Amino acid sequence: MTSTIKQGAYYTGQYRNLFAEYGYSEADIAKKVQDTWDALFGEDESTKIYYELGEDKGYLLDTGNIDVRSEGMSYGMMMAVQYDRQDIFDKLWNWTYSYMYMTEGIHKGYFAWSCQPDGTRNAQGPAPDGEEYFALALFFASNRWGDREAPYNYSQQAKDLLRTCIHQQPPGFPMWNPDNKLIKFVPEVEFSDPSYHLPHYYELFALWAYEEDRQFWKEAAQASRDYIHISCHPETGLAAEYAHYDGTPNHVRGFGYFFSDSYRVAANIGLDFEWFGVDPRQQDIANRIQAFFADKHPDDYRRYTIEGEPFEEKSLHPVGLLATNAQASLAASDQETAKAAVDLLWNTPVRTGERRYYDNCLYIFAILALSGNYRIYA
Ligand SMILES: O[C@@H]1[C@@H](O)[C@H](O[C@@H]2CO[C@@H](O[C@@H]3CO[C@@H](O[C@@H]4CO[C@@H](O)[C@H](O)[C@H]4O)[C@H](O)[C@H]3O)[C@H](O)[C@H]2O)OC[C@H]1O
C-alpha cells in the first residue's frame, strides 16, 4: 500500500525501549522478546496457546474456556505481523475467514466471536474488539508484505470490514454508535467496554479506510480518548469492564467492576501515548493505576470497584494485569512506579496452566511494547 504518512509528523515514530532505559541489556531484551514468542507459539505444552489445524490453518486457543475467540485470533494476527511471521499470520487468517466470517444474517460481514477448535460456531454474534484488531493487523500485513489473492488481499479485507463496522444496515447494527462515535460492547446494545477503545488504531484507520470513512475514524479517535478519560476513576484510574456512554460503570451481569476486560485500558493508554503522544490526560491515568497497584502483590490481586474497594474474589489473570500495568509505563510520568511496574513484568515468567491464554496474550503485547517492538507498519 502506498502510504502518504510521514513518521514523526502524523505519528511519533519513536519506539522507546523502556527495558533498556531501566538498565536491562540489549541481549537479554532480545532474548526475552524471542523466548516469549517461542513460549506462546512453540511446542511447550505448558505455555503454548497456538495450535495448527491441517497444513494451512492455525488458531489461538482460549485455554481457560476451551474455545477460539475472535479476540484471540485478531491478537494472534497482530502478534504475527509484529514478529514478521507471515506464515503464522496467514494460517490464523485462513482459520478465521473459513470459520468465523458470517456471510448471512443480521451480523453479515462480522466474525462470530466464539468457535470450537474444529471451527464449529459457538455463537452467531461478534465482539467488536476482534474486528478492530483484525482490521489493523490486516493493514499492517498489507503494508509489510503486500496484498495477494483473496482472502490474502489484506488491505481490501480491512477496508471492507471497517465499512461494515460503521455502515451495517438494519436489521443489523453498526459496531460504533454513529452519533457519539463510541465503540459498543456488542452491535445490538448501547453501552461500551472501556478496554475496547483504541484511539491509536482509529488514527490509522483514518488514513487507510475507504476515503468516505476516514473522517469518522478521526472523530472516533478523539471520542475514544475523551471516553477513556471519563470512564477511568479520577482517583484510582480504574475502569469498569462495561460502562455507559457517560463513562459510569454498567453493572449488567456483574460487569460494572474492575476485572479481566478492564486490564487492557492501561495497556491501550501506554501504546496510544507511544504512537501518537497527543493526550496528556493519559499520563495522569497511568500514574494513578500504577500508584493503586504499587503496594499490592500479584498473588493478592482481586476484583475491585472502580473506587478501589477489593472483593474477596481473586483476579483470574494476575499476569495479564501486571503486564498491562507495566505497558502503562509508556505513558506514565511517575518514574518510580513506572520502573517498578516494568521490573515486575521482567521478573515474571509467562503463565502456565489452564488460564494462560488471556494472561499470555497481554504479556506478549507488553513485552513487544516495552522493548520498542510494537510498531506502526505504514
Ligand atoms: O447474544 C449476545 C452475545 O453473543 C454476546 O456475546 C458477547 C460477545 O463478546 C464477548 O466478549 C469477548 C470475550 O470476553 C472478552 O475477553 C475475555 C476476558 O476474560 C478472559 O478470561 C477471557 O479469556 C477473554 O476472552 C473479550 O474481550 C471479548 O471479545 C462476551 O463475553 C459475550 O458475552 O453478549 C450479548 C448477547 O446479547
Side-chain angles (χ1 to χ4, degrees):
M1 174 184 298
T2 307
S3 170
T4 53
I5 67 171
K6 291 275 183 295
Q7 173 171 310
Y10 189 76
Y11 61 97
T12 66
Q14 303 297 312
Y15 302 104
R16 295 171 67 197
N17 185 337
L18 266 194
F19 289 135
E21 288 182 33
Y22 292 149
Y24 299 98
S25 78
E26 294 288 353
D28 286 348
I29 296 164
K31 182 173 183 326
K32 176 81 84 180
V33 171
Q34 187 58 47
D35 286 353
T36 303
W37 172 270
D38 293 344
L40 273 58
F41 288 84
E43 295 308 320
D44 185 340
E45 291 292 339
S46 70
T47 59
K48 71 180 291 184
I49 56 175
Y50 173 75
Y51 298 84
E52 297 204 333
L53 185 66
E55 294 284 298
D56 60 355
K57 295 186 185 69
Y59 59 90
L60 257 61
L61 179 70
D62 182 334
T63 53
N65 294 297
I66 316 296
D67 68 352
V68 182
R69 300 182 166 204
S70 57
E71 165 202 68
M73 297 304 286
S74 63
Y75 284 5
M77 286 164 56
M78 182 57 75
M79 295 167 198
V81 73
Q82 294 293 330
Y83 275 91
D84 200 13
R85 288 295 303 266
Q86 189 176 13
D87 55 334
I88 304 292
F89 186 99
D90 282 353
K91 288 178 181 180
L92 290 166
W93 177 235
N94 191 12
W95 197 102
T96 300
Y97 198 76
S98 300
Y99 302 130
M100 292 182 151
Y101 188 65
M102 293 181 278
T103 55
E104 56 189 23
I106 66 166
H107 296 305
K108 183 178 174 184
Y110 295 146
F111 294 87
W113 78 273
S114 172
C115 289
Q116 295 169 30
D118 66 3
T120 307
R121 298 240 176 101
N122 291 328
Q124 298 296 338
D129 56 337
E131 272 69 4
E132 55 187 352
Y133 269 85
F134 284 136
L136 192 61
L138 287 161
F139 279 131
F140 282 174
S142 172
N143 295 344
R144 204 162 187 186
W145 304 315
D147 289 339
R148 306 200 315 277
E149 77 290 354
Y152 306 105
N153 50 343
Y154 310 120
S155 64
Q156 181 78 43
Q157 297 284 347
K159 286 186 283 192
D160 289 346
L161 176 56
L162 291 179
R163 173 181 276 169
T164 303
C165 286
I166 61 175
H167 296 297
Q168 186 74 295
Q169 295 300 305
F173 306 85
M175 287 186 163
W176 272 256
N177 179 295
D179 300 318
N180 62 28
K181 317 281 190 296
L182 298 177
I183 189 170
K184 304 175 190 176
F185 161 60
V186 289
E188 58 269 40
V189 303
E190 289 300 340
F191 63 88
S192 194
D193 177 325
S195 75
Y196 285 11
H197 289 259
L198 306 175
H200 46 308
Y201 280 33
Y202 313 153
E203 294 278 9
L204 298 172
F205 297 164
L207 295 170
W208 301 327
Y210 285 119
E211 184 100 36
E212 62 273 22
D213 294 337
R214 293 179 184 174
Q215 182 61 27
F216 179 93
W217 292 112
K218 193 71 193 163
E219 291 174 30
Q222 185 59 46
S224 276
R225 290 189 179 114
D226 293 342
Y227 187 73
I228 290 168
H229 176 66
I230 60 170
S231 56
C232 292
H233 189 273
E235 286 170 19
T236 63
L238 305 183
E241 293 193 280
Y242 303 166
H244 299 288
Y245 288 147
D246 66 2
T248 58
N250 181 348
H251 289 282
V252 62
R253 296 194 290 145
F255 281 87
Y257 301 112
F258 179 86
F259 204 54
S260 306
D261 277 27
S262 316
Y263 303 170
R264 298 174 289 204
V265 174
N268 297 340
I269 286 171
L271 197 61
D272 186 29
F273 199 80
E274 165 98 337
W275 282 5
F276 288 94
V278 294
D279 189 351
R281 298 172 298 184
Q282 295 172 341
Q283 293 189 288
D284 182 57
I285 298 169
N287 289 341
R288 289 180 187 281
I289 295 170
Q290 292 188 334
F292 179 78
F293 284 103
D295 64 353
K296 296 174 180 56
H297 191 280
D299 291 345
D300 197 36
Y301 287 163
R302 308 289 185 90
R303 179 192 293 274
Y304 303 94
T305 66
I306 68 166
E307 292 78 18
E309 289 303 315
F311 289 82
E312 278 300 309
E313 186 182 358
K314 292 278 187 76
S315 167
L316 268 183
H317 303 292
V319 173
L321 176 51
L322 70 86
T324 52
N325 287 346
Q327 193 171 324
S329 295
L330 289 166
S333 56
D334 182 331
Q335 287 308 307
E336 197 176 327
T337 46
K339 181 175 186 307
V342 171
D343 288 341
L344 178 58
L345 173 65
W346 182 269
N347 293 313
T348 302
V350 295
R351 186 169 178 184
T352 57
E354 68 175 21
R355 283 279 171 197
R356 66 187 181 277
Y357 150 81
Y358 188 62
D359 295 83
N360 289 346
C361 285
L362 302 182
Y363 186 100
I364 196 170
F365 282 138
I367 294 293
L368 281 169
L370 292 166
S371 62
N373 286 303
Y374 195 158
R375 298 187 171 204
I376 292 171
Y377 290 95

